[in-house]
Amino acid sequence: MLRYLFLLCAFIANISFAQTWENYIKYFPRKSSTVVRDYKGNILKTNSLGVLDVRINSVQQCADAAIRLRAEYFYSRKEYTKIEFRLTNGVIVCFDDWAKGYRLHKSSKCITFSQKNGRKGYDRANFEKYLFEVMMYAGSASLYQELNSTNKLPKIGDLLIIPGYPGHVVIIIDKKTVKGINYYLFANSWMPAQDIEIISGKNPKCRNFGNYTPILSTNDKIYINGYLFNIKTHLRTW
């Protein structure tokens, strides 16, 4: 009996490890409640389309939400060398180096990432400290520069980014194809930091399919939470 239980656990672990980024986002757990809260627990909205069941903290805003999800994906797979992000000043900060003791050095002129006697380890507490530092110095502008543009239609896990200070970042979390038209569902966080809320958008060219927004071509422009996204300009892929 124990042998079969061990084989079952190994099978489940292998499924998790083989999970793609796209499926990780598509099937990311959602809270049973549709209440959206800020990082202090204050209620901002009582009835949303849904809320992703993910950690938030005092600096987790729109770009930070995307950083969190991407980092959590590779952390769950123990692919620590793939957890890396470019700060606004261009410095790349990798969690694998962080876990080996590297830390950010901050001065009045610049921020660098180099060997220092920081606490070592790949544990959750050290991972959270890493994310806290990255989220402090990365944002929509750095994500926009870091990620790849594409001339293809969006796929699950891609981002729509208006680079700026603060700019805005939206995550594509689901896709449906109905009668040859692709429809998308989105999620984002806001300022002040809050739950990652599932949201819809609007394309003036075509009506929504339920809460899913159509994107007919890369030339389309869609409205999401008051922001106008030009697909050709603002779409970024990992």
Side-chain angles (χ1 to χ4, degrees), residues 124-141:
R124 167 59 68 169
N126 213 17
F127 176 61
E128 290 292 338
K129 289 180 180 179
Y130 163 81
L131 284 179
F132 182 86
E133 290 292 319
V134 169
M135 291 174 181
M136 285 289 290
Y137 300 104
S140 61

Side-chain angles (χ1 to χ4, degrees), residues 97-132:
D97 291 331
W98 177 279
K100 293 174 181 176
Y102 282 64
R103 290 296 184 269
L104 293 175
H105 298 263
K106 308 159 194 174
S107 71
S108 59
K109 294 183 179 179
C110 65
I111 300 174
T112 59
F113 186 58
S114 57
Q115 184 69 57
K116 188 179 179 181
N117 192 27
R119 189 175 75 81
K120 299 179 180 180
Y122 297 90
D123 56 277
R124 167 59 68 169
N126 213 17
F127 176 61
E128 290 292 338
K129 289 180 180 179
Y130 163 81
L131 284 179
F132 182 86

Side-chain angles (χ1 to χ4, degrees), residues 5 30 40 45 69 97 129 151 162 192 197 212 224:
L5 182 60
R30 302 181 184 183
K40 293 182 178 179
K45 185 186 293 187
L69 291 171
D97 291 331
K129 289 180 180 179
N151 58 3
I162 297 175
E197 180 188 6
Y212 287 67
I224 306 175

